[in-house]
Short mmCIF file of all heavy atoms in Angstrom, two decimals:
data_model
loop_
_atom_site.label_atom_id
_atom_site.label_comp_id
_atom_site.label_asym_id
_atom_site.label_seq_id
_atom_site.Cartn_x
_atom_site.Cartn_y
_atom_site.Cartn_z
N ALA A 20 26.72 -3.22 -3.15
CA ALA A 20 26.27 -3.98 -4.31
C ALA A 20 25.01 -3.36 -4.91
O ALA A 20 24.90 -3.21 -6.14
CB ALA A 20 25.99 -5.43 -3.90
N GLY A 21 24.07 -2.96 -4.05
CA GLY A 21 22.82 -2.36 -4.52
C GLY A 21 23.07 -1.07 -5.27
O GLY A 21 22.51 -0.84 -6.35
N LEU A 22 23.92 -0.22 -4.71
CA LEU A 22 24.20 1.08 -5.32
C LEU A 22 24.85 0.90 -6.69
O LEU A 22 24.41 1.49 -7.69
CB LEU A 22 25.10 1.91 -4.40
CG LEU A 22 25.49 3.30 -4.89
CD1 LEU A 22 24.26 4.17 -5.05
CD2 LEU A 22 26.47 3.96 -3.94
N ILE A 23 25.87 0.04 -6.73
CA ILE A 23 26.60 -0.14 -7.99
C ILE A 23 25.69 -0.79 -9.04
O ILE A 23 25.58 -0.31 -10.18
CB ILE A 23 27.88 -0.97 -7.76
CG1 ILE A 23 28.87 -0.14 -6.93
CG2 ILE A 23 28.52 -1.37 -9.09
CD1 ILE A 23 30.10 -0.88 -6.50
N ALA A 24 25.00 -1.87 -8.65
CA ALA A 24 24.15 -2.58 -9.61
C ALA A 24 23.10 -1.65 -10.17
O ALA A 24 22.85 -1.60 -11.38
CB ALA A 24 23.49 -3.78 -8.93
N SER A 25 22.49 -0.87 -9.28
CA SER A 25 21.40 -0.01 -9.73
C SER A 25 21.91 1.09 -10.66
O SER A 25 21.29 1.40 -11.68
CB SER A 25 20.72 0.51 -8.47
OG SER A 25 20.11 1.66 -8.66
N LEU A 26 23.11 1.66 -10.35
CA LEU A 26 23.68 2.68 -11.25
C LEU A 26 24.06 2.08 -12.60
O LEU A 26 23.81 2.69 -13.65
CB LEU A 26 24.90 3.32 -10.59
CG LEU A 26 24.61 4.45 -9.60
CD1 LEU A 26 25.89 4.94 -8.97
CD2 LEU A 26 23.89 5.60 -10.29
N VAL A 27 24.65 0.88 -12.56
CA VAL A 27 25.07 0.25 -13.82
C VAL A 27 23.85 -0.03 -14.70
O VAL A 27 23.83 0.29 -15.89
CB VAL A 27 25.86 -1.05 -13.52
CG1 VAL A 27 26.00 -1.89 -14.79
CG2 VAL A 27 27.23 -0.72 -12.97
N PHE A 28 22.80 -0.59 -14.08
CA PHE A 28 21.59 -0.87 -14.87
C PHE A 28 20.98 0.42 -15.43
O PHE A 28 20.51 0.45 -16.57
CB PHE A 28 20.55 -1.60 -14.01
CG PHE A 28 20.85 -3.06 -13.81
CD1 PHE A 28 20.76 -3.64 -12.55
CD2 PHE A 28 21.22 -3.86 -14.88
CE1 PHE A 28 21.04 -4.98 -12.36
CE2 PHE A 28 21.49 -5.21 -14.71
CZ PHE A 28 21.40 -5.76 -13.44
N LEU A 29 21.01 1.49 -14.62
CA LEU A 29 20.46 2.75 -15.12
C LEU A 29 21.24 3.24 -16.33
O LEU A 29 20.67 3.70 -17.32
CB LEU A 29 20.50 3.82 -14.03
CG LEU A 29 19.25 3.95 -13.16
CD1 LEU A 29 19.46 5.03 -12.13
CD2 LEU A 29 18.04 4.28 -14.01
N TYR A 30 22.58 3.11 -16.25
CA TYR A 30 23.38 3.58 -17.38
C TYR A 30 23.22 2.69 -18.59
O TYR A 30 23.38 3.14 -19.72
CB TYR A 30 24.86 3.73 -16.97
CG TYR A 30 25.11 5.11 -16.44
CD1 TYR A 30 25.39 5.34 -15.10
CD2 TYR A 30 25.00 6.21 -17.29
CE1 TYR A 30 25.56 6.62 -14.63
CE2 TYR A 30 25.17 7.49 -16.82
CZ TYR A 30 25.45 7.69 -15.49
OH TYR A 30 25.61 8.96 -15.03
N LEU A 31 22.88 1.40 -18.37
CA LEU A 31 22.67 0.53 -19.53
C LEU A 31 21.44 0.99 -20.33
O LEU A 31 21.37 0.76 -21.55
CB LEU A 31 22.48 -0.92 -19.07
CG LEU A 31 23.78 -1.65 -18.73
CD1 LEU A 31 23.49 -3.01 -18.15
CD2 LEU A 31 24.67 -1.79 -19.96
N THR A 32 20.46 1.65 -19.68
CA THR A 32 19.32 2.15 -20.45
C THR A 32 19.77 3.25 -21.40
O THR A 32 19.07 3.58 -22.35
CB THR A 32 18.21 2.72 -19.54
OG1 THR A 32 18.74 3.83 -18.82
CG2 THR A 32 17.68 1.70 -18.59
N TYR A 33 20.94 3.84 -21.13
CA TYR A 33 21.43 4.90 -22.01
C TYR A 33 21.79 4.35 -23.39
O TYR A 33 21.90 5.10 -24.36
CB TYR A 33 22.63 5.62 -21.38
CG TYR A 33 22.82 7.01 -21.91
CD1 TYR A 33 21.96 8.03 -21.53
CD2 TYR A 33 23.84 7.31 -22.81
CE1 TYR A 33 22.10 9.31 -22.03
CE2 TYR A 33 23.99 8.59 -23.31
CZ TYR A 33 23.12 9.59 -22.92
OH TYR A 33 23.26 10.84 -23.42
N ALA A 34 21.96 3.02 -23.46
CA ALA A 34 22.18 2.38 -24.76
C ALA A 34 21.04 2.69 -25.72
O ALA A 34 21.24 2.73 -26.94
CB ALA A 34 22.32 0.87 -24.57
N ASN A 35 19.85 2.94 -25.19
CA ASN A 35 18.72 3.36 -26.02
C ASN A 35 19.06 4.61 -26.83
O ASN A 35 18.77 4.70 -28.02
CB ASN A 35 17.51 3.69 -25.15
CG ASN A 35 16.76 2.45 -24.75
OD1 ASN A 35 16.84 1.44 -25.42
ND2 ASN A 35 16.03 2.55 -23.66
N VAL A 36 19.67 5.59 -26.14
CA VAL A 36 19.99 6.85 -26.79
C VAL A 36 21.10 6.65 -27.82
O VAL A 36 21.04 7.16 -28.93
CB VAL A 36 20.40 7.90 -25.73
CG1 VAL A 36 20.73 9.23 -26.38
CG2 VAL A 36 19.29 8.07 -24.71
N ILE A 37 22.09 5.84 -27.42
CA ILE A 37 23.24 5.63 -28.31
C ILE A 37 22.82 4.86 -29.56
O ILE A 37 23.17 5.22 -30.68
CB ILE A 37 24.37 4.89 -27.55
CG1 ILE A 37 24.88 5.78 -26.41
CG2 ILE A 37 25.51 4.54 -28.50
CD1 ILE A 37 25.74 5.04 -25.41
N MET A 38 22.05 3.79 -29.36
CA MET A 38 21.71 2.92 -30.49
C MET A 38 20.41 3.36 -31.17
O MET A 38 20.02 2.78 -32.18
CB MET A 38 21.55 1.48 -30.02
CG MET A 38 22.60 1.07 -29.02
SD MET A 38 23.69 -0.25 -29.49
CE MET A 38 22.64 -1.58 -29.87
N GLY A 39 19.69 4.33 -30.60
CA GLY A 39 18.46 4.80 -31.22
C GLY A 39 17.32 3.80 -31.17
O GLY A 39 16.46 3.79 -32.04
N THR A 40 17.30 2.94 -30.14
CA THR A 40 16.16 2.02 -30.00
C THR A 40 15.51 2.25 -28.62
O THR A 40 15.88 3.17 -27.89
CB THR A 40 16.58 0.54 -30.06
OG1 THR A 40 17.14 0.19 -28.80
CG2 THR A 40 17.58 0.29 -31.15
N GLU A 41 14.56 1.38 -28.27
CA GLU A 41 13.95 1.45 -26.94
C GLU A 41 14.02 0.10 -26.24
O GLU A 41 13.43 -0.08 -25.19
CB GLU A 41 12.49 1.90 -27.07
CG GLU A 41 12.38 3.39 -27.37
CD GLU A 41 10.99 3.81 -27.75
OE1 GLU A 41 10.23 2.97 -28.27
OE2 GLU A 41 10.66 4.98 -27.53
N TYR A 42 14.75 -0.86 -26.84
CA TYR A 42 14.73 -2.23 -26.30
C TYR A 42 15.47 -2.37 -24.98
O TYR A 42 15.32 -3.36 -24.29
CB TYR A 42 15.31 -3.21 -27.32
CG TYR A 42 14.36 -3.44 -28.47
CD1 TYR A 42 14.57 -2.85 -29.70
CD2 TYR A 42 13.23 -4.22 -28.27
CE1 TYR A 42 13.68 -3.04 -30.74
CE2 TYR A 42 12.33 -4.41 -29.30
CZ TYR A 42 12.55 -3.81 -30.53
OH TYR A 42 11.66 -4.00 -31.52
N PHE A 43 16.30 -1.36 -24.62
CA PHE A 43 17.07 -1.49 -23.39
C PHE A 43 16.33 -0.90 -22.18
O PHE A 43 16.90 -0.81 -21.11
CB PHE A 43 18.45 -0.85 -23.56
CG PHE A 43 19.28 -1.51 -24.61
CD1 PHE A 43 19.34 -1.01 -25.90
CD2 PHE A 43 19.97 -2.68 -24.31
CE1 PHE A 43 20.10 -1.65 -26.87
CE2 PHE A 43 20.72 -3.33 -25.28
CZ PHE A 43 20.79 -2.82 -26.57
N ALA A 44 15.06 -0.53 -22.40
CA ALA A 44 14.30 0.09 -21.32
C ALA A 44 14.18 -0.82 -20.11
O ALA A 44 14.12 -0.34 -18.98
CB ALA A 44 12.91 0.49 -21.82
N PHE A 45 14.17 -2.15 -20.34
CA PHE A 45 13.95 -3.06 -19.21
C PHE A 45 15.06 -2.99 -18.17
O PHE A 45 14.87 -3.35 -17.03
CB PHE A 45 13.74 -4.50 -19.70
CG PHE A 45 14.98 -5.18 -20.20
CD1 PHE A 45 15.76 -5.92 -19.32
CD2 PHE A 45 15.35 -5.10 -21.54
CE1 PHE A 45 16.90 -6.57 -19.77
CE2 PHE A 45 16.48 -5.74 -21.98
CZ PHE A 45 17.26 -6.47 -21.10
N PHE A 46 16.27 -2.48 -18.57
CA PHE A 46 17.33 -2.32 -17.57
C PHE A 46 16.91 -1.35 -16.47
O PHE A 46 17.38 -1.47 -15.34
CB PHE A 46 18.63 -1.85 -18.24
CG PHE A 46 19.37 -2.95 -18.93
CD1 PHE A 46 19.56 -2.94 -20.29
CD2 PHE A 46 19.87 -4.01 -18.18
CE1 PHE A 46 20.25 -3.97 -20.91
CE2 PHE A 46 20.56 -5.05 -18.81
CZ PHE A 46 20.74 -5.03 -20.17
N GLY A 47 16.04 -0.39 -16.80
CA GLY A 47 15.51 0.51 -15.78
C GLY A 47 14.79 -0.27 -14.69
O GLY A 47 14.93 0.00 -13.50
N GLY A 48 14.01 -1.27 -15.13
CA GLY A 48 13.29 -2.10 -14.16
C GLY A 48 14.25 -2.90 -13.30
O GLY A 48 14.06 -3.03 -12.09
N LEU A 49 15.33 -3.44 -13.92
CA LEU A 49 16.31 -4.20 -13.13
C LEU A 49 17.00 -3.28 -12.12
O LEU A 49 17.32 -3.70 -11.00
CB LEU A 49 17.33 -4.86 -14.06
CG LEU A 49 16.76 -5.91 -15.02
CD1 LEU A 49 17.87 -6.50 -15.88
CD2 LEU A 49 16.04 -7.01 -14.27
N ALA A 50 17.22 -2.00 -12.51
CA ALA A 50 17.81 -1.04 -11.56
C ALA A 50 16.92 -0.89 -10.34
O ALA A 50 17.40 -0.83 -9.21
CB ALA A 50 18.02 0.31 -12.25
N THR A 51 15.58 -0.85 -10.56
CA THR A 51 14.67 -0.71 -9.41
C THR A 51 14.75 -1.94 -8.53
O THR A 51 14.70 -1.82 -7.30
CB THR A 51 13.22 -0.49 -9.86
OG1 THR A 51 12.77 -1.68 -10.51
CG2 THR A 51 13.07 0.68 -10.78
N VAL A 52 14.85 -3.13 -9.13
CA VAL A 52 14.91 -4.36 -8.32
C VAL A 52 16.15 -4.32 -7.42
O VAL A 52 16.07 -4.59 -6.21
CB VAL A 52 14.90 -5.61 -9.21
CG1 VAL A 52 15.07 -6.86 -8.37
CG2 VAL A 52 13.61 -5.70 -10.00
N ALA A 53 17.30 -3.95 -8.01
CA ALA A 53 18.55 -3.90 -7.22
C ALA A 53 18.42 -2.90 -6.08
O ALA A 53 18.77 -3.18 -4.93
CB ALA A 53 19.71 -3.52 -8.14
N ALA A 54 17.86 -1.72 -6.39
CA ALA A 54 17.73 -0.69 -5.36
C ALA A 54 16.74 -1.13 -4.28
O ALA A 54 16.93 -0.84 -3.10
CB ALA A 54 17.31 0.63 -5.99
N LEU A 55 15.66 -1.83 -4.68
CA LEU A 55 14.65 -2.23 -3.69
C LEU A 55 15.20 -3.30 -2.74
O LEU A 55 14.87 -3.30 -1.54
CB LEU A 55 13.40 -2.75 -4.39
CG LEU A 55 12.53 -1.67 -5.05
CD1 LEU A 55 11.43 -2.31 -5.87
CD2 LEU A 55 11.92 -0.76 -4.00
N ILE A 56 16.06 -4.20 -3.26
CA ILE A 56 16.65 -5.22 -2.38
C ILE A 56 17.51 -4.52 -1.31
O ILE A 56 17.39 -4.80 -0.12
CB ILE A 56 17.50 -6.21 -3.21
CG1 ILE A 56 16.59 -7.03 -4.12
CG2 ILE A 56 18.31 -7.12 -2.30
CD1 ILE A 56 17.32 -7.95 -5.05
N TRP A 57 18.33 -3.59 -1.78
CA TRP A 57 19.14 -2.80 -0.84
C TRP A 57 18.22 -2.06 0.14
O TRP A 57 18.46 -2.06 1.36
CB TRP A 57 20.04 -1.87 -1.66
CG TRP A 57 20.66 -0.72 -0.93
CD1 TRP A 57 20.98 -0.66 0.39
CD2 TRP A 57 21.04 0.54 -1.49
NE1 TRP A 57 21.54 0.55 0.69
CE2 TRP A 57 21.60 1.30 -0.44
CE3 TRP A 57 20.99 1.08 -2.77
CZ2 TRP A 57 22.08 2.60 -0.64
CZ3 TRP A 57 21.48 2.37 -2.96
CH2 TRP A 57 22.02 3.12 -1.91
N GLY A 58 17.16 -1.44 -0.39
CA GLY A 58 16.26 -0.64 0.45
C GLY A 58 15.58 -1.45 1.53
O GLY A 58 15.45 -1.00 2.66
N SER A 59 15.17 -2.68 1.19
CA SER A 59 14.48 -3.47 2.21
C SER A 59 15.43 -3.79 3.35
O SER A 59 15.03 -3.82 4.52
CB SER A 59 13.93 -4.75 1.58
OG SER A 59 14.96 -5.64 1.31
N HIS A 60 16.71 -3.98 3.03
CA HIS A 60 17.66 -4.28 4.10
C HIS A 60 17.97 -3.03 4.91
O HIS A 60 18.19 -3.13 6.13
CB HIS A 60 18.94 -4.89 3.53
CG HIS A 60 19.67 -5.73 4.53
ND1 HIS A 60 20.69 -5.25 5.29
CD2 HIS A 60 19.47 -7.01 4.92
CE1 HIS A 60 21.12 -6.21 6.11
NE2 HIS A 60 20.39 -7.29 5.89
N THR A 61 17.96 -1.86 4.27
CA THR A 61 18.14 -0.62 5.02
C THR A 61 17.01 -0.44 6.02
O THR A 61 17.23 -0.04 7.17
CB THR A 61 18.17 0.58 4.06
OG1 THR A 61 19.17 0.34 3.08
CG2 THR A 61 18.48 1.85 4.80
N ILE A 62 15.78 -0.75 5.58
CA ILE A 62 14.63 -0.61 6.50
C ILE A 62 14.79 -1.57 7.66
O ILE A 62 14.55 -1.21 8.82
CB ILE A 62 13.32 -0.85 5.73
CG1 ILE A 62 13.08 0.31 4.77
CG2 ILE A 62 12.16 -1.01 6.69
CD1 ILE A 62 11.73 0.35 4.17
N LYS A 63 15.24 -2.78 7.38
CA LYS A 63 15.48 -3.75 8.46
C LYS A 63 16.51 -3.20 9.45
O LYS A 63 16.35 -3.26 10.66
CB LYS A 63 15.96 -5.07 7.84
CG LYS A 63 16.70 -5.99 8.78
CD LYS A 63 15.76 -6.64 9.78
CE LYS A 63 16.56 -7.44 10.80
NZ LYS A 63 15.78 -7.78 11.97
N HIS A 64 17.57 -2.62 8.88
CA HIS A 64 18.65 -2.05 9.67
C HIS A 64 18.12 -0.93 10.57
O HIS A 64 18.41 -0.87 11.76
CB HIS A 64 19.68 -1.48 8.68
CG HIS A 64 21.04 -1.33 9.23
ND1 HIS A 64 21.74 -2.39 9.74
CD2 HIS A 64 21.85 -0.25 9.35
CE1 HIS A 64 22.91 -1.96 10.16
NE2 HIS A 64 23.01 -0.67 9.93
N LEU A 65 17.30 -0.04 9.98
CA LEU A 65 16.76 1.11 10.72
C LEU A 65 15.72 0.66 11.73
O LEU A 65 15.73 1.09 12.89
CB LEU A 65 16.15 2.11 9.72
CG LEU A 65 15.40 3.31 10.29
CD1 LEU A 65 16.36 4.20 11.07
CD2 LEU A 65 14.76 4.12 9.18
N CYS A 66 14.83 -0.25 11.30
CA CYS A 66 13.70 -0.61 12.16
C CYS A 66 14.09 -1.62 13.23
O CYS A 66 13.27 -1.98 14.07
CB CYS A 66 12.55 -1.13 11.32
SG CYS A 66 11.85 0.17 10.30
N SER A 67 15.36 -2.10 13.21
CA SER A 67 15.76 -2.99 14.29
C SER A 67 15.89 -2.21 15.60
O SER A 67 16.12 -2.80 16.64
CB SER A 67 17.06 -3.69 13.94
OG SER A 67 18.05 -2.74 13.68
N TYR A 68 15.71 -0.88 15.53
CA TYR A 68 15.72 -0.09 16.76
C TYR A 68 14.33 0.08 17.33
O TYR A 68 14.00 1.09 17.94
CB TYR A 68 16.39 1.27 16.52
CG TYR A 68 17.88 1.11 16.38
CD1 TYR A 68 18.44 0.80 15.16
CD2 TYR A 68 18.72 1.24 17.48
CE1 TYR A 68 19.79 0.61 15.03
CE2 TYR A 68 20.07 1.06 17.35
CZ TYR A 68 20.62 0.74 16.13
OH TYR A 68 21.97 0.55 16.01
N GLY A 69 13.45 -0.89 17.06
CA GLY A 69 12.14 -0.89 17.70
C GLY A 69 11.15 0.09 17.12
O GLY A 69 10.27 0.57 17.81
N ILE A 70 11.27 0.40 15.82
CA ILE A 70 10.30 1.30 15.20
C ILE A 70 9.27 0.42 14.49
O ILE A 70 9.27 0.31 13.27
CB ILE A 70 10.97 2.26 14.21
CG1 ILE A 70 12.29 2.75 14.78
CG2 ILE A 70 10.06 3.45 13.92
CD1 ILE A 70 13.09 3.54 13.78
N GLY A 71 8.39 -0.21 15.24
CA GLY A 71 7.50 -1.21 14.66
C GLY A 71 6.51 -0.65 13.67
O GLY A 71 6.45 -1.07 12.51
N THR A 72 5.74 0.36 14.09
CA THR A 72 4.70 0.87 13.21
C THR A 72 5.25 1.81 12.16
O THR A 72 4.53 2.25 11.28
CB THR A 72 3.62 1.61 14.01
OG1 THR A 72 4.29 2.52 14.87
CG2 THR A 72 2.78 0.65 14.81
N GLY A 73 6.55 2.11 12.23
CA GLY A 73 7.11 3.07 11.28
C GLY A 73 7.57 2.44 9.98
O GLY A 73 8.14 3.13 9.15
N VAL A 74 7.33 1.13 9.81
CA VAL A 74 7.87 0.48 8.62
C VAL A 74 7.29 1.04 7.32
O VAL A 74 8.04 1.45 6.45
CB VAL A 74 7.70 -1.06 8.72
CG1 VAL A 74 8.24 -1.72 7.48
CG2 VAL A 74 8.41 -1.59 9.94
N PRO A 75 5.95 1.11 7.17
CA PRO A 75 5.44 1.68 5.92
C PRO A 75 5.83 3.14 5.74
O PRO A 75 6.12 3.57 4.62
CB PRO A 75 3.92 1.52 6.04
CG PRO A 75 3.73 0.40 6.99
CD PRO A 75 4.84 0.54 7.97
#
Side-chain angles (χ1 to χ4, degrees):
Chain A
L22 180 63
I23 291 174
S25 155
L26 277 177
V27 166
F28 282 134
L29 267 179
Y30 271 111
L31 281 174
T32 62
Y33 203 74
N35 279 337
V36 180
I37 296 166
M38 319 242 304
T40 78
E41 285 169 333
Y42 288 104
F43 297 97
F45 73 91
F46 282 116
L49 296 180
T51 67
V52 175
L55 286 172
I56 293 175
W57 163 28
S59 73
H60 205 265
T61 305
I62 290 191
K63 160 73 186 164
H64 202 58
L65 174 64
C66 293
S67 57
Y68 287 85
I70 319 171
T72 49
V74 179

